[in-house]
Each structure stands twice: as structure tokens, then as C-alpha cells.
Amino acid sequence: MSRIVEDNPGDRRFELRVDGELVGWSEYQPVGDSVIVAHTEIDERREGEGLGSVLVRATLDQIRAS
């Protein structure tokens, strides 16, 4: 199973794709030197698979790296 989290700066969100299908996202707002992660959502059909944790961890890792 392929899990990819990528930044979509046009929509100000990190998107989680599983095998190419968009299954979740974390919306963010840059504020000075900080970033506020305002909302995270996982497709209700994929709840209970631990994908929220995958998305949040990757989102925070990418924010820290930038």
C-alpha cells in the first residue's frame, strides 16, 4: 500500500493519498514564522485505519523541515 503526503500550497493543505486516492488532508495557515494546522480530515470510509496519525505525523515533519 502506497501512502504519500504532499503539500498543496494552492489550497494550503497537506494531502494524504493511498494508492493514488485522496483520503485525507490537513488544512494550515502560515502566521509569521509559525504554521497553524487548523483542521485535519480523513474520509469516513477510511476511518479506523490509522491514517489520521500518518497524515499528522507527515504534516508536522514537513513543516519542521521547511
Side-chain angles (χ1 to χ4, degrees), residues 7 14 28 30 32-35 58-66:
D7 187 9
F14 285 88
Y28 65 85
D33 291 337
S34 299
V35 177
T59 295
L60 295 175
D61 287 348
Q62 290 184 45
I63 289 170
R64 281 187 208 106
S66 66

Side-chain angles (χ1 to χ4, degrees), residues 18-39:
V18 175
D19 295 332
E21 176 188 359
L22 179 64
V23 298
W25 58 88
S26 289
E27 298 172 350
Y28 65 85
Q29 179 68 39
V31 180
D33 291 337
S34 299
V35 177
I36 296 171
V37 179
H39 179 76

Side-chain angles (χ1 to χ4, degrees), residues 16 26 40-42 46-59:
L16 170 61
S26 289
T40 297
E41 189 166 328
I42 297 295
R46 304 301 298 260
E47 289 179 1
E49 296 179 33
L51 296 174
S53 295
V54 170
L55 176 56
V56 170
R57 186 175 305 113
T59 295

